[in-house]
Amino acid sequence: MDCIFCKIIKKEIPSKILYEDDLVLAMLDINPMNNGHTLIIPKKHYTDIMEADDILDYMFKIAKDLTPILMDKLEVKALTYLINYGDSQQVKHLHLHLIPDYLNENKHLKDIDEVYNLLKS
Ligand code: 5GP
Ligand code: ZN
């Protein structure tokens, strides 16, 4: 299957992995809307939220675990959870966005490696 997220899961394409277990992988978004923009993807290929089952609960559990790490290390007070569906969903492999400080209009995007090193430290 020609799915970019499946290739990331199989490590055929590199990514900045923040967390991984048997069921999900969390990585930095390659084109972040803000510093620390993270995607949580299930390892099993579900096309979209309508195909998803109990995995949604688990994705949100991991989202809750990652939330204080993102907010503390990036020193932000807000984080938005977002799932696109339909025409707004570009990658047809289910994913949950975690976007720190989404509404901040004065965002200064740091280098993704700098953000990654900060979050992994
Ligand atoms: P969607 O619109 O499908 O909800 O969002 C897809 C997201 O995946 C976008 O924010 C986009 O930047 C991100 N993305 C697309 N290709 C890659 C990739 O190869 N690696 C990573 N880390 N993120 C990607
Ligand atoms: Zn896939």
Side-chain angles (χ1 to χ4, degrees):
M1 199 192 324
D2 196 24
C3 169
I4 193 147
F5 285 178
C6 283
K7 287 180 181 165
I8 285 172
I9 288 160
K10 286 188 265 173
K11 311 283 163 64
E12 292 170 9
I13 294 176
S15 65
K16 307 278 182 205
I17 298 173
L18 295 175
Y19 174 81
E20 183 176 15
D21 63 23
D22 289 346
L23 295 176
V24 298
L25 183 150
M27 63 180 171
L28 289 180
D29 194 295
I30 205 169
N31 186 21
M33 297 182 75
N34 211 339
N35 296 318
H37 182 166
T38 297
L39 302 174
I40 298 178
I41 61 180
K43 290 206 164 166
K44 182 177 164 191
H45 180 96
Y46 301 86
T47 302
D48 57 35
I49 191 170
M50 292 305 169
E51 275 191 9
D53 47 27
D54 294 349
I55 194 69
L56 284 171
D57 287 345
Y58 191 65
M59 289 165 69
F60 275 98
K61 181 212 173 306
I62 299 303
K64 286 166 70 175
D65 290 346
L66 286 174
T67 293
I69 297 169
L70 290 167
M71 292 179 75
D72 292 350
K73 296 214 166 173
L74 296 167
E75 298 180 342
V76 297
K77 292 190 166 69
L79 189 146
T80 298
Y81 307 90
L82 182 128
I83 295 177
N84 283 315
Y85 175 66
D87 287 351
S88 62
Q89 184 184 349
Q90 291 170 7
V91 178
K92 300 298 185 193
H93 178 130
L94 175 66
H95 51 281
L96 169 62
H97 296 253
L98 274 63
I99 310 174
D101 214 7
Y102 181 60
L103 296 176
N104 179 4
E105 291 174 4
N106 299 315
K107 57 188 70 165
H108 164 69
L109 282 182
K110 294 179 180 166
D111 181 77
I112 197 163
D113 284 317
E114 189 185 333
V115 174
Y116 186 64
N117 290 336
L118 179 68
L119 291 173
K120 293 294 277 183
S121 65

